[in-house]
Amino acid sequence: MKIVNTNTIVKATLALCFISCLPIASIAQDSSNIPADKHSVTTNRFWDNWFIQANIAMSSFYGNQESTIADNGIYLSGSPFKAFRNNVGFSIAIGKWFTPGLGLRTKLNGAWGRTVISNDASYNANKYWTLQEQILFNITNMIKGYNENRTWNAIPYLGFGIGHNMRAADEQTTSNPTAMGITLGLLNTWRLTDRMSLNLDFSYGIYEGSLDAYDVSDATSHGLKNTDRILNLEVGITYNLSKKRFKRAPDVNALNEINQSEIEAINSQLQDALQEADRLRQELDKKKKQ
């Protein structure tokens, strides 16, 4: 009877075990199967995640002179829909997302406004512009995690900047119609394509009293009535300049658990193979003794 070499059987068994483990290893190396952390992303390059916006703006204006006008017996409705108070303009902006939840936007807004000193829309007409740097907070990504295919995102923001009125100075207007101001707003975006979104932007801007070129500020008075204010509703398009978006970082804990389970599975198969090889060796030893 021909005796098979024990070492040959052991090597063959281990080889079969190794081959059976290859599918597991290939799964571990397949990046598509690596779990991702929805709240973490890899660092993006400087030129990634830039965007531009172009909006039509519908604005209502409130000035610090209105309380003085009311004292003189001229009552002006506070409704933002009154023609003497509102006007149509536009805004353009460029910005960048540094993380899925935090971005910066530089925004220019104008150009047709109102200096509310009467109930005559034509008499109140002026031209102005505001320029602000705004900090954007995508709370949808912050709460739900990053998803570039999400339909709707809610993005509150805080802005700081200046405004200037282009109305010619006269005996009734200030000679320096430039003002500092802050803005609170909420930007809503709806995904249309991979690179384009519809946006709806609500904001409330508070400026020094010279913004509307009619400053009657009282140094002893404080509060919103001593400021110029702009209530804005804008609608427009956001276009993403870069095709590249954020890439989710791997979930290290989940990945470690998967790797550990794969290692345990491989160890188990190796142990089974060694036991089988040992059994075959014992049988061969018995046959040798016979």
Side-chain angles (χ1 to χ4, degrees), residues 35-184:
D37 187 340
K38 68 178 182 178
H39 291 292
S40 297
V41 295
T42 57
T43 303
N44 65 327
R45 297 182 303 174
F46 178 78
W47 295 112
D48 293 340
N49 296 296
W50 285 85
F51 63 88
I52 55 175
Q53 292 177 325
N55 294 346
I56 296 174
M58 291 151 281
S59 306
S60 294
F61 300 85
Y62 298 82
N64 63 351
Q65 68 278 356
E66 292 187 46
S67 58
T68 302
I69 294 173
D71 291 341
N72 293 331
I74 303 175
Y75 175 76
L76 299 175
S77 172
S79 170
F81 304 106
K82 295 296 183 179
F84 67 83
R85 189 178 293 283
N86 61 43
N87 215 337
V88 177
F90 67 91
S91 71
I92 55 175
I94 183 169
K96 172 179 169 59
W97 288 103
F98 295 92
T99 72
L102 181 64
L104 288 177
R105 177 174 70 169
T106 303
K107 184 176 181 182
L108 176 67
N109 180 278
W112 302 282
R114 302 287 187 199
T115 300
V116 185
I117 52 180
S118 75
N119 56 12
D120 185 335
S122 298
Y123 186 74
N124 290 353
N126 66 42
K127 293 182 179 180
Y128 79 105
W129 56 261
T130 63
L131 180 64
Q132 285 200 339
E133 191 66 25
Q134 299 173 341
I135 308 172
L136 310 176
F137 304 92
N138 189 324
I139 59 172
T140 309
N141 280 339
M142 289 179 177
I143 295 173
K144 294 186 175 182
Y146 174 63
N147 181 358
E148 67 179 47
N149 296 318
R150 181 177 289 117
T151 302
W152 172 69
N153 285 280
I155 308 170
Y157 62 88
L158 174 64
F160 305 88
I162 63 171
H164 178 77
N165 199 293
M166 294 175 280
R167 182 173 180 170
D170 56 33
E171 66 277 3
Q172 289 184 319
T173 61
T174 177
S175 60
N176 184 28
T178 301
M180 302 291 294
I182 63 172
T183 295
L184 296 173

Side-chain angles (χ1 to χ4, degrees), residues 4 30-31 52 57 81 83 96 118 146-147 167 189 196 202 205 215 224 247 280 289:
V4 180
D30 185 359
S31 61
I52 55 175
F81 304 106
K96 172 179 169 59
S118 75
Y146 174 63
N147 181 358
R167 182 173 180 170
T189 64
M196 189 175 295
F202 301 94
D215 189 3
L224 290 179
K247 184 178 180 181
L280 291 173
K289 292 177 180 180

Side-chain angles (χ1 to χ4, degrees), residues 266-282:
I266 292 173
N267 287 335
S268 177
Q269 292 187 33
L270 285 173
Q271 187 65 32
D272 291 342
L274 291 173
Q275 291 176 357
E276 179 64 16
D278 186 58
R279 185 185 67 79
L280 291 173
R281 183 184 59 77
Q282 291 176 6

